[in-house]
Amino acid sequence: MSDAVARPAMPARWRRMAASALVLLLAAVVVFWLRRHEPSYVERFAPIIVRSAPGSVAEARGFSVDIPADAALESGRTLEVPGITGSTPPGQLPSNALWLSVPVRIEATLDSGRVTAFLRDREGREYAAFDKSSAEPGRPFDHGGEGGRMFETNIAGQSLAPGFPATGRLYFEVPADRLEGLHARFHLGVVMTPNDHLVDIDLGIDRRRADALRTDATPVLRTFLVRGGVL
């Protein structure tokens, strides 16, 4: 009698065990899938790339950047920077690489601050913008028969205020064989904030243009201009 009662219960118990095993298996599969597709440490803190091209305004959090399409890139063998005073000779920085001048317009859109700029080549090497001098805009300049008022064209690290865009150039020292495929990158602040916007602008330097920049490089590339008269 007891055997007859026990026999019908056996299939139900095995069904419950099979169902439990199936649930555990599915749970293990889900956990494995989640672990496999879990973002890495780099991915969790990676910047948000805002891609753009010369001639288009890149709108990022807190700032906008525009590399004018009608303003040419310039290259030189030596970078000339302002002297300590208007009457002292400008400093010259020769390079075994190439100095590249990139026209740019940067504007703060939320709060005052600074924007960091650098170039990145195809292999991931990065080249920081050359620091702006401490020269005051419009100061007297009198050297080598050239006189007037001196204005810095380098806007690297310039403090920006909303509604007052900075227009000028950025200067980078880049190996002559690394020009092709360069991208200009910009982010808000001195240090990149996790998950913040990073503007990436393809400078459009193909092989022909890279050859032209190397061939047409001027012996001296200036980071300032001099205007005659009192301004």
Side-chain angles (χ1 to χ4, degrees), residues 48-73:
I48 300 170
I49 306 296
V50 179
R51 302 193 184 279
S52 188
S56 299
V57 179
E59 299 286 352
R61 188 198 68 80
F63 71 101
S64 65
V65 181
D66 174 23
I67 293 180
D70 56 352
L73 301 177

Side-chain angles (χ1 to χ4, degrees), residues 59-180:
E59 299 286 352
R61 188 198 68 80
F63 71 101
S64 65
V65 181
D66 174 23
I67 293 180
D70 56 352
L73 301 177
E74 297 175 354
S75 57
R77 303 293 177 183
T78 297
L79 194 68
E80 189 171 65
V81 297
I84 298 175
T85 67
S87 59
T88 56
Q92 292 198 337
L93 303 172
S95 175
N96 293 326
L98 203 65
W99 288 103
L100 186 65
S101 169
V102 179
V104 67
R105 179 183 182 276
I106 308 175
E107 182 176 0
T109 56
L110 291 178
D111 302 307
S112 299
R114 287 179 169 82
V115 171
T116 297
F118 59 95
L119 297 183
R120 182 182 175 91
D121 66 20
R122 286 179 171 175
E123 283 71 40
R125 296 179 179 88
E126 296 177 350
Y127 311 94
F130 184 76
D131 290 337
K132 182 181 185 297
S133 76
S134 58
E136 295 182 4
R139 77 179 186 182
F141 182 88
D142 183 12
H143 179 75
E146 185 180 17
R149 298 280 177 172
M150 185 187 69
F151 294 86
E152 179 82 52
T153 57
N154 187 1
I155 63 171
Q158 183 170 323
S159 182
L160 304 172
F164 296 91
T167 302
R169 287 184 171 267
L170 297 170
Y171 299 87
F172 305 89
E173 189 177 15
V174 183
D177 60 350
R178 299 287 179 181
L179 299 175
E180 191 175 346

